[in-house]
Amino acid sequence: MQRKTYQPSVLKKPDSKFRLPDFSFEKKLWKRNFKIVAGVDEVGRGSFAGPVVTAAVAFAPVQSAKFRVQSLKITINDSKKLTPKQREKANKWIKENALYWAVGEASVNEINKLGIVKATQIAFRKAISKTKADFLLIDAFYIPYVAGLRRKNQKAIIKGDTKSISIAAASIIAKVYRDKLMTDLSKKAKYKEYGWDKNKGYGTLDHRNAIKKYGLTRLHRRDFVRKLV
């Protein structure tokens, strides 16, 4: 999804004791005349059930060196470090202010057939294809076979969701989307015993016990689960 305009305001610099992601990587690329620098991240890679979800987020070039998106009201960081309420607020802000944001999804069937690595790459390519990115910032690894974006137009950043605002924003978009999806699925009678509203499909003790008692559903990653339950 695209927003044609984005007018950021100057916000106060966060306390240095609590270091948050910033636009350092993005600014270097904007100076090199890359126009749409998208941060991408995934959620659900290690889950026992449900799809793997990716997101891509790009902000318009920020000219002010003092600009910080972080404020007391909105915190953009690795989605795992935020509370559900913080994620919801940030998710709304990102969607309202990003130049582009998009979600990609790989189904359980794709995961079971192709494996989690290839399925995650498919989900990444789906999200990226909905943007007009000319450079990618990625959490930890490169993504092969992205149309028009070879490795020279990608930067893999270790713990990128704690360093780049664009990657952190993508992690939030993906997390909020997938959490809602799993919560909605948990309300269906055939899945209610697995507690996906709480565990989001991950291998908690309660989820493992439910699998042992009720068996696998069509939304479980069969080969993966059988090795661990």
Side-chain angles (χ1 to χ4, degrees), residues 10-87:
V10 177
L11 303 175
K12 292 182 179 180
K13 183 177 180 179
D15 190 328
S16 60
K17 293 181 180 179
F18 303 99
R19 191 167 184 177
L20 293 168
D22 58 29
F23 281 114
S24 297
F25 291 98
E26 290 85 344
K27 286 177 180 176
K28 290 177 183 178
L29 293 165
W30 291 329
K31 287 180 180 179
R32 291 169 55 190
N33 292 321
F34 289 104
K35 303 300 182 183
I36 302 177
V37 180
V40 295
D41 203 3
E42 53 78 22
V43 173
R45 188 184 181 97
S47 177
F48 277 21
V52 62
V53 172
T54 65
V57 175
F59 292 98
V62 176
Q63 301 302 323
S64 172
K66 295 181 179 180
F67 172 75
R68 295 293 187 278
V69 73
Q70 314 291 4
S71 73
L72 293 177
K73 294 182 179 180
I74 300 295
T75 301
I76 296 181
N77 199 357
D78 172 7
S79 62
K80 297 185 295 297
K81 296 185 177 182
L82 303 180
T83 65
K85 185 175 181 180
Q86 287 177 317
R87 285 196 295 266

Side-chain angles (χ1 to χ4, degrees), residues 28 49 57 73 86 89 95-96 100 102 110 114-115 122 147 164 185 188 191 193-194 200 227:
K28 290 177 183 178
V57 175
K73 294 182 179 180
Q86 287 177 317
K89 291 177 68 174
K95 289 180 176 180
E96 290 175 348
Y100 287 95
E110 288 173 308
L114 302 172
I122 288 171
S164 159
L185 287 171
K188 296 185 177 182
Y191 304 130
E193 304 294 346
Y194 298 90
K200 305 303 185 286
K227 293 176 183 178

